Every structure is written in structure tokens, then in C-alpha cells.
Amino acid sequence: MWQDFRQGYSDIFITTSTNFGVDWGAPTPITNSPVGSQSFFPAITVSPTDGAVFVSYYTNRLNPPDIDVFLATSRDGGITFTNTRITTTSFSVAGLPLIGDYIGNAIVPQTGRLVTVWTDTRTGTENIWFGDNQ
């Protein structure tokens, strides 16, 4: 799982191996974002109970240049992904020298629920936000 600009804009890709890394499949984008959207800073988590793959990321796919946080979920080993918006409102990063790659996921051991944290500026300053994704 990584972010690159192979298509002329930032997107997030996955590739898989069925023989322990001897051979790898073709890189496949996972965000299903419109062409030209910027999707970046992926954070990946895999469920220890069912192997579901979760990737949170920033994107400007809804209201460019403002950004949102989305979650890509795969329950078939990374073959297909469903993308869901986590943020409830888009936010601006205009004027910030760097938003930073402050985004991550965790699975709460007691409940098995996935949570995501990210940097968000909707209040006018950078703050940490938290989302329960299930």
C-alpha cells in the first residue's frame, strides 16, 4: 500500500502477492476517487480477527481544494475496496505550511471496533479528531 503520482495526480495503490513476495500483481488504485483528485497519506490497519483491510486517507475528492478523510475497506484480501467518508465536513488547509501525515487507525481490543484519528482544521486551528468507523 502506497501513495504515488504515476497517473499525474496523487492516488493510493495496492499490490498483492500469492507466493510470499516472489511475484507481485499490478498496482491497483483503491480510492475510486475522480480523476485528478488528490488522495494521500494512507494509514493501513488489518483486523486480527477477520483479516479485513482498512486504509484511512486524506482526499480532496468532494470539495477541492478542501479535504476530507475517507476509509477504504476490503473484506476480500485487498481485491476490492469500499470507500466511506469519515469526516462530517470538508476542511481547508490553506495557509498551512504543512498539515503533516498525522493520521492513523487502531482496532480497540475490547470491542474489535476500528477507530481513526486525523488532523483537521475545521475550527480554524489544527486539532486532532477521532472517528469511530463501525
Side-chain angles (χ1 to χ4, degrees):
M1 182 77 49
W2 72 97
Q3 157 198 335
D4 75 26
F5 297 87
R6 70 182 59 223
Q7 301 174 133
Y9 53 91
S10 180
D11 207 350
I12 300 165
F13 294 83
I14 189 171
T15 188
T16 57
S17 174
T18 58
N19 58 9
F20 303 99
V22 174
D23 300 298
W24 290 90
T28 305
I30 67 159
T31 64
N32 200 29
S33 293
V35 171
S37 297
Q38 305 297 320
S39 298
F40 53 98
F41 292 154
I44 186 170
T45 302
V46 178
S47 170
T49 56
D50 65 4
V53 179
F54 303 102
V55 182
S56 58
Y57 60 94
Y58 292 107
T59 183
N60 70 348
R61 69 191 282 172
L62 296 179
N63 190 24
D66 292 348
I67 60 176
D68 283 276
V69 175
F70 269 67
L71 180 71
T73 303
S74 176
R75 299 197 182 274
D76 58 9
I79 297 170
T80 60
F81 283 85
T82 301
N83 287 266
T84 307
R85 183 183 187 191
I86 296 175
T87 47
T88 57
T89 186
S90 301
F91 56 95
S92 173
V93 293
L96 293 177
L98 177 69
I99 189 172
D101 55 352
Y102 308 115
I103 188 168
N105 306 308
I107 296 178
V108 179
Q110 297 85 347
T111 64
R113 295 176 72 91
L114 178 78
V115 295
T116 299
V117 295
W118 67 93
T119 302
D120 193 316
T121 62
R122 72 181 76 183
T123 63
T125 60
E126 286 186 86
N127 287 298
I128 299 299
W129 287 75
F130 167 91
D132 185 342
N133 304 307
Q134 297 176 334

